[in-house]
Amino acid sequence: MTKSTNGKGLSRRAFLGLGATAAVAGAAGLAGCAPATKEEIASSADGGAAAGGATSGNPTEFTPSFLNPPEPVDESKVTETIDVDVCVVGLGLAGVCALREAADAGVKVIGLEKGPDVGYRSGEFGTFGSEIHKQLGIEQPETQEVVNELMRVMGNRPNAQLLNYWIANSGPDLDWYIGTAEHELLTSDRDTPTDPEKPYVFPERCPVNENYNWREENYPCFPGMVHLLPDHGWAMHGTLEAAQAAGAEARFNVKGEQLIKEGDRVTGVYASDEDGNIIRVNAKLGVVLSTGDISSNTEMLTYYAPQATKYGVFFSSMDKEGKPVNQGDGHRMAIWAGAVMEDGPYAPMTHSLGTNSIGINPYLMVNQDGQRFANEDVGAQELQNAIKRQKGGVSYQIFDSKWKEQLSVMPQCFGGVTHYIPPEQEAEYEHAINHFAAGYASDTYFQSEIDAGSIIPGDTIEDLAKAVDIPADALVATVERYNELAHAGKDTDFSKVSTRLFPIENPPYYIVPFGDSGMLVLIGGIDCDAECRALDAEKNPVPGLFVAGNTMGGRFLVDYPVTVAGASHSMAMSFGRLAGRNAAAGK
């Protein structure tokens, strides 16, 4: 079985889909795993009060404490000085790629990470034009199709130059990234690895279904995502080892504290080790900040994206004190050095995924009042946006016994299920059925989700209503109206396409509760140009300062689109590599 997990054995689908609320509660021992309370909002993740500016009058004049630079480091307390060309702060995906690229350029480079190891989570990568795509014959859209769609769904706010660079380079960057370790490439999403405990690459939704044409979808999902399994660690550690072999140094349990400037130029960083010793790193060519996002810093999250405080936050990489490492360290250091945050609104990554057997397939969806509330034929992120606005932030997916024959016309998207495997073929397709995003369903797995309470059966619509405690009369009326629309072949209520408008009239019936999705990251970062150089308030580069990964801006705004599933990882890889290259060149 190859279900992706996010630390502590928690599956990504369970966290993001129907079980998110319960999953967050179960991980209550992890800092930052619950929605912010009023008391927490009054205090930052570092323990400081959310104060420091005006507390009355115009709220836009309020200055939170994290914007106030700390006192300069006392040089007499520096216990070690390190001289390098480039310093990379934060060794997640972007940082490790920056470290290796700088080392490959022949410069002296050091990477600092406040956690005990490189930070990584799931291993989905949405890329274009890699050797994998060529080898498997995966047809992909033209660059302008992808860029224009991404810009459309994000309100034309991202930096299109960054998107164009990413699409042109993500394929070769993926080949470079995974080429550091031996791995097996599966030839389709129905293949089984020779040894599931050893590194392999799983091409998701490959081949593309004959009846799925992304160009005709209102919410297209472009093909080409690959999943690094059994987890992402083999590629991360392989890249780190390649960087070290090229001469890079990496130190863990070392936290970046403040940037060092000489005039307008960033020339290094002060850091602290696990014993509290102060280290000065002089970096004559540049510093790359790749410390992750801000979602575990309550003060920053509340200030920049108050709507996101409604979500439970889960982040599996911890520092030596057991706190999530994504506290916005790099954002704050950059701001104190003269860079600025990009304009919002920032994008919470909060997509729903549903059950493994049905996923987010666009069946009837109702709220706690038994009322339909949206066109269900949307992407995973868009679905969660609609669910979050309902009473209690929950909803219910309803379908009937004909679900097996309906899967083939469902969208082959991230979180969608499009293949039914009959009992006699279950053994052959076991790997695909058990993989959380492959899109394969079976009677055995469907029954296991009934046994687990994820899917609830009923002989009547009233039975379903009683099972989840929603008004039976309202639900019956909603189903009757939905059936009327389905038979008419036109959704005049919410405009769902008729090809996915199925009547619910063949018992047994089924209902799936969708819980409140958790937030993986809050995407919003330091304003930067197409070279990953941090920008000041006048849009001029801050000399010597580069940003990558979730510390950089310009990639995603408003929403995280799953048009290209795995785009966040892919961009972290590509822009981490670019930032490392440009820092090494002293740009």
Side-chain angles (χ1 to χ4, degrees):
M1 184 176 294
T2 59
K3 288 187 179 298
S4 175
T5 59
N6 290 313
K8 307 295 183 183
L10 186 62
S11 77
R12 180 181 173 95
R13 183 178 289 276
F15 182 72
L16 289 173
L18 55 100
T21 303
V24 171
L30 301 178
C33 281
T37 65
K38 292 181 179 179
E39 291 76 14
E40 289 171 329
I41 289 173
S43 176
S44 74
D46 289 338
T55 58
S56 62
N58 187 346
T60 63
E61 296 176 354
F62 171 75
T63 302
S65 64
F66 67 82
L67 291 180
N68 297 319
E71 292 296 320
V73 172
D74 184 348
E75 277 286 339
S76 68
K77 295 184 178 180
V78 172
T79 60
E80 181 182 8
T81 298
I82 303 171
D83 294 318
V84 295
D85 296 312
V86 174
C87 179
V88 179
V89 184
L91 293 179
L93 174 55
V96 167
C97 289
L99 186 74
R100 179 184 166 197
E101 185 69 10
D104 286 346
V107 303
K108 187 175 183 181
V109 57
I110 188 171
L112 310 178
E113 167 57 46
K114 73 175 182 178
D117 193 4
V118 292
Y120 63 92
R121 196 154 48 185
S122 57
E124 296 100 336
F125 283 75
T127 61
F128 299 85
S130 74
E131 290 301 317
I132 291 173
H133 298 114
K134 296 173 185 176
Q135 183 175 336
L136 300 184
I138 298 174
E139 179 190 359
Q140 294 187 286
E142 297 294 330
T143 296
Q144 67 181 33
E145 290 183 89
V146 182
V147 172
N148 289 339
E149 177 63 20
L150 290 174
M151 295 298 286
R152 181 184 70 83
V153 299
M154 292 187 282
N156 210 39
R157 289 177 173 86
N159 184 334
Q161 281 186 292
L162 289 174
L163 299 184
N164 274 276
Y165 175 89
W166 160 63
I167 293 170
N169 291 274
S170 61
D173 288 343
L174 179 67
D175 298 331
W176 169 86
Y177 179 61
I178 66 175
T180 58
E182 291 188 7
H183 58 272
E184 178 182 7
L185 172 62
L186 303 191
T187 58
S188 77
D189 62 9
R190 63 195 64 175
D191 283 355
T192 300
T194 303
D195 184 346
E197 299 302 317
K198 292 184 178 180
Y200 66 99
V201 178
F202 180 83
E204 300 203 1
R205 295 179 293 284
C206 172
V208 176
N209 293 348
E210 291 183 359
N211 58 355
Y212 181 71
N213 185 341
W214 69 80
R215 292 185 175 94
E216 297 178 355
E217 294 286 327
N218 290 324
Y219 290 88
C221 188
F222 299 124
M225 186 180 87
V226 299
H227 199 162
L228 310 188
L229 293 167
D231 69 25
H232 187 181
W234 60 267
M236 285 288 290
H237 287 108
T239 299
L240 174 64
E241 290 165 7
Q244 292 170 323
E249 180 182 357
R251 294 198 185 186
F252 297 93
N253 296 314
V254 175
K255 179 188 177 216
E257 299 286 357
Q258 294 182 42
L259 294 174
I260 301 169
K261 292 185 73 176
E262 294 181 6
D264 293 333
R265 186 175 185 84
V266 171
T267 58
V269 61
Y270 290 109
S272 61
D273 66 16
E274 55 189 327
D275 297 319
N277 298 312
I278 302 299
I279 303 168
R280 176 178 176 134
V281 180
N282 297 317
K284 67 180 181 181
L285 294 179
V287 173
V288 178
L289 297 177
S290 50
T291 58
D293 77 306
I294 67 173
S295 59
S296 290
N297 185 313
T298 306
E299 185 185 18
M300 295 184 74
L301 184 66
T302 304
Y303 183 74
Y304 288 116
Q307 80 281 9
T309 62
K310 299 177 182 179
Y311 291 99
V313 179
F314 179 82
F315 202 80
S316 56
S317 295
M318 302 290 165
D319 63 17
K320 63 184 179 65
E321 297 177 350
K323 296 180 180 179
V325 298
N326 59 334
Q327 302 281 351
D329 298 343
H331 299 70
R332 296 196 305 276
M333 285 191 285
I335 291 169
W336 300 334
V340 296
M341 291 286 282
E342 66 179 325
D343 291 336
Y346 300 156
M349 188 185 293
T350 58
H351 39 273
S352 293
L353 293 177
T355 60
N356 219 47
S357 297
I358 300 297
I360 62 165
N361 286 358
Y363 291 109
L364 170 65
M365 189 78 77
V366 302
N367 58 24
Q368 284 189 339
D369 292 325
Q371 303 290 332
R372 189 180 179 206
F373 57 88
N375 176 354
E376 300 89 352
D377 192 14
V378 296
Q381 180 75 40
E382 292 81 9
L383 179 62
Q384 175 54 214
N385 290 345
I387 293 173
K388 189 63 179 177
R389 284 160 173 75
Q390 304 309 304
K391 182 185 295 184
V394 297
S395 65
Y396 305 89
Q397 181 188 51
I398 301 172
F399 52 96
D400 69 13
S401 60
K402 289 196 172 184
W403 64 271
K404 301 173 189 178
E405 61 194 69
Q406 295 162 355
L407 295 185
S408 63
V409 300
M410 292 300 179
Q412 197 173 17
C413 62
F414 185 60
V417 180
T418 57
H419 300 279
Y420 167 71
I421 304 302
E424 64 272 16
Q425 293 182 294
E426 285 187 17
E428 178 185 354
Y429 285 83
E430 181 181 8
H431 180 264
I433 293 169
N434 285 308
H435 189 279
F436 90 98
Y440 288 77
S442 69
D443 290 338
T444 300
Y445 206 104
F446 189 85
Q447 183 60 48
S448 74
E449 294 191 295
I450 291 177
D451 295 341
S454 302
I455 299 174
I456 303 169
D459 293 327
T460 66
I461 299 300
E462 289 86 350
D463 289 342
L464 300 186
K466 182 178 180 180
V468 296
D469 194 26
I470 61 178
D473 55 347
L475 183 59
V476 168
T478 296
V479 171
E480 289 177 349
R481 171 59 178 167
Y482 189 77
N483 290 346
E484 178 185 333
L485 297 172
H487 287 299
K490 188 172 184 179
D491 181 7
T492 55
D493 290 351
F494 292 97
S495 299
K496 181 161 69 178
V497 295
S498 61
T499 53
R500 293 169 186 154
L501 194 63
F502 298 110
I504 302 168
E505 53 193 11
N506 298 282
Y509 305 106
Y510 302 95
I511 191 165
V512 176
F514 271 57
D516 188 1
S517 171
M519 180 169 63
L520 292 175
V521 294
L522 187 282
I523 307 176
I526 296 298
D527 199 11
C528 66
D529 64 13
E531 302 293 338
C532 293
R533 297 179 297 186
L535 300 179
D536 63 19
E538 282 71 45
K539 296 287 185 178
N540 296 315
V542 176
L545 184 58
F546 302 83
V547 288
N550 285 327
T551 308
M552 72 184 291
R555 302 178 306 150
F556 305 105
L557 288 155
V558 185
D559 277 323
Y560 175 69
V562 289
T563 303
V564 182
S568 179
H569 283 137
S570 175
M571 288 192 193
M573 170 187 67
S574 287
F575 293 125
R577 190 180 185 191
L578 177 62
R581 182 185 310 134
N582 287 341
K587 285 193 174 182

